[in-house]
Amino acid sequence: MCSTLQATFELTTPMFIGDAEQHATGIRPSAIKGALRFWWRAINWPRVVAATHSEALALQTLHQQEAKLFGAAANLVNRKETGGQGIFLLQVAEHNIQQNNSPFNKTDGGLLYLLGMGLATFKNGGQTLRNALSSGEFTLSLRFKKQDVSPEDRQSIADAVWAFGLLGALGSRARHGLGSLTLTDWQFDERQPPKTREEYRQALQQLLGKPGNDSLPPLTAFSQHMRFDLSASAKQPEALLHKVGEEQMRYRSFGQKGKVLHQPAERNFGPKNPQHNDHDLVMKAIADTPPHKAPGRTVFGLPHNYFFSSSKEKADINYWAGEKEARRASPLLLHVHHLGQEYVAVHGLLPARFLPDGAHITIKAKRRYQVRFSADSADWQILHKYLDRFAEREHIDVR
């Protein structure tokens, strides 16, 4: 088996990857290594939990294997120093990477919705607030160490790089389609980067496999509960982001004066939905009526906020772990992949235990309210209903 892995990636959508001053200047090996760790954990959780038959032992084993492969910070355990480097050295070579101070200028609607606060503003006709890496390629080189590196360990790392090339992204809003990457060259084993929609579908099917464990994972990982769809396509990536963002706006937004994107508002989370009437729930909290549960749209990730144009009031939804506010990344991933003459929107839903034990939801308006949120409080059907909206979707069978 090869002692070196090389893979080349195309920047498919603008990448808001920042340095210490939130300025996009280049692609750091540390950012890639963090992304590879994520995909390695996602792929390997089903294997580890099946082998250990214990969630606690599986988490411990997964952590130990990850530390061996990727390295770990040094610390003292039982008076013995642990930690050290992983099994490979990683280098990044950039090819014609272009920077753009305003990659999306004079834009509105769905694209601004995906960008979100912090990256974009509706002012001056809609524009981004940070620069981005807008185009180009980079080559990732992994040189495996010669000692004590088994073929299985090399293959495990290679599979994480392969997943990164099929589904990965870097930078801010990476789970919302920004910073998406497309694998264009692969030098390690017999696999070849997919060039067509059918080749991509087959490669994704093979990657996802058929996970055997039916329990909900304690971390974002592959399981029988996951779902992957090729949801939509377009000739240009910006048009595709607009299309997906507008679909999400119509689904989630209550609208202004009964309209969303100049069409009648669907108001899926309003009074017509007694189970998840988020609009009235939060509006009552602003009026000092204690909420009895969390908004249904919490399942899209935290934090998120509400602004009522009629009253100019707002509320922030978040969760607390212990004495600190924390973030819950969205379990819904959007990736944009370049295949021939088209760009394909790939949605991945990776349900997992939504919040840690003891955490609670906060609704902060004029007052801050705490709401209990048990392990089974997340309504995953909210996300499935959203994915079902895409008429041209192609579902990837993972069962």
Side-chain angles (χ1 to χ4, degrees):
M1 182 173 287
C2 296
S3 60
T4 302
L5 183 156
Q6 284 195 343
T8 300
F9 305 84
E10 171 194 343
L11 275 64
T12 312
T13 58
M15 181 183 296
F16 294 87
I17 188 167
D19 55 19
E21 298 179 351
Q22 296 297 303
H23 190 77
T25 56
I27 299 172
R28 302 184 306 277
S30 59
I32 295 176
K33 199 169 186 179
L36 294 182
R37 283 178 178 266
F38 169 84
W39 287 110
W40 183 88
R41 288 192 296 267
I43 294 170
N44 284 277
W45 171 255
R47 172 185 61 81
V48 174
V49 74
T52 58
H53 305 288
S54 163
E55 182 178 290
L57 183 57
L59 285 170
Q60 181 181 6
T61 303
L62 193 74
H63 176 74
Q64 291 171 343
Q65 292 183 4
E66 180 184 341
K68 172 192 172 184
L69 298 177
F70 291 90
N75 63 83
L76 292 176
V77 178
N78 297 327
R79 297 183 179 180
K80 293 183 179 180
E81 187 173 338
T82 63
Q85 296 181 341
I87 67 170
F88 61 88
L89 298 176
L90 185 152
Q91 292 182 320
V92 179
E94 298 181 358
H95 313 299
N96 197 31
I97 297 290
Q98 301 295 312
Q99 299 180 24
N100 192 323
N101 288 330
S102 186
F104 300 117
N105 197 17
K106 302 299 181 183
T107 188
D108 59 7
L111 183 50
L112 284 180
Y113 194 79
L114 290 178
L115 287 165
M117 294 189 302
L119 284 187
T121 175
F122 284 93
K123 296 179 180 179
N124 300 320
Q127 59 185 327
T128 48
L129 298 172
R130 287 166 44 187
N131 81 317
L133 307 180
S134 57
S135 62
E137 291 186 330
F138 67 90
T139 296
L140 176 64
S141 297
L142 276 68
R143 181 165 59 86
F144 293 102
K145 298 178 181 179
K146 295 182 179 180
Q147 297 179 345
D148 301 325
V149 179
S150 68
E152 292 77 16
D153 286 344
R154 294 181 187 181
Q155 190 64 55
S156 180
I157 294 295
D159 290 344
V161 179
W162 182 257
F164 178 60
L166 295 183
L167 295 166
L170 292 172
S172 297
R173 308 297 279 182
R175 296 194 179 199
H176 296 259
L178 282 305
S180 290
L181 301 167
T182 296
L183 181 67
T184 60
D185 187 64
W186 178 260
Q187 303 294 328
F188 182 72
D189 53 27
E190 72 281 357
R191 289 178 289 192
Q192 293 296 319
K195 302 296 184 184
T196 66
R197 187 185 184 101
E198 177 58 23
E199 289 177 357
Y200 180 80
R201 187 194 65 77
Q202 292 179 6
L204 196 57
Q205 176 80 67
Q206 185 176 22
L207 171 68
L208 299 174
K210 295 183 181 295
N213 191 281
D214 61 357
S215 62
L216 201 64
L219 73 164
T220 301
F222 292 178
S223 74
Q224 287 191 6
H225 300 274
M226 67 182 174
R227 172 177 175 175
F228 279 83
D229 290 353
L230 311 185
S231 297
S233 63
K235 296 297 184 182
Q236 296 297 329
E238 185 170 340
L240 184 57
L241 290 173
H242 267 294
K243 181 188 295 188
V244 175
E246 288 179 355
E247 202 65 60
Q248 193 170 140
M249 279 188 73
R250 294 188 184 97
Y251 181 64
R252 293 184 58 173
S253 298
F254 190 79
Q256 296 184 21
K257 299 180 180 179
K259 299 285 186 178
V260 173
L261 297 171
H262 309 294
Q263 297 179 3
E266 297 178 16
R267 296 185 170 176
N268 296 306
F269 298 92
K272 74 175 186 179
N273 183 355
Q275 184 180 3
H276 297 299
N277 184 0
D278 295 357
H279 178 272
D280 289 4
L281 178 79
V282 177
M283 181 170 279
K284 289 177 180 178
I286 290 174
D288 290 335
T289 298
H292 61 283
K293 64 176 183 178
R297 279 170 290 184
T298 294
V299 75
F300 275 95
L302 293 168
H304 73 267
N305 59 77
Y306 290 76
F307 176 76
F308 296 91
S309 57
S310 57
S311 62
K312 308 302 180 185
E313 300 277 7
K314 65 178 183 178
D316 297 314
I317 317 298
N318 208 349
Y319 93 90
W320 283 63
E323 300 298 322
K324 295 182 180 180
E325 280 190 318
R327 300 180 64 87
R328 205 304 181 181
S330 176
L332 182 66
L333 284 64
L334 170 63
H335 169 78
V336 176
H337 209 83
H338 188 188
L339 294 167
Q341 299 300 312
E342 68 173 350
Y343 292 82
V344 179
V346 186
H347 274 113
L349 174 58
L350 296 174
R353 192 170 307 142
F354 198 76
L355 294 180
D357 293 339
H360 55 264
I361 300 291
T362 61
I363 300 178
K364 182 181 178 182
K366 296 174 183 176
R367 296 172 55 190
R368 175 182 280 129
Y369 298 100
Q370 295 184 4
V371 182
R372 292 182 59 84
F373 197 88
S374 60
D376 58 355
S377 294
D379 186 351
W380 300 108
Q381 285 304 310
I382 289 175
L383 298 180
H384 283 288
K385 289 178 181 178
Y386 166 67
L387 294 177
D388 289 343
R389 296 171 62 89
F390 292 89
E392 62 177 281
R393 69 185 182 278
E394 181 180 357
H395 183 64
I396 306 299
D397 184 20
V398 297
R399 298 181 184 275

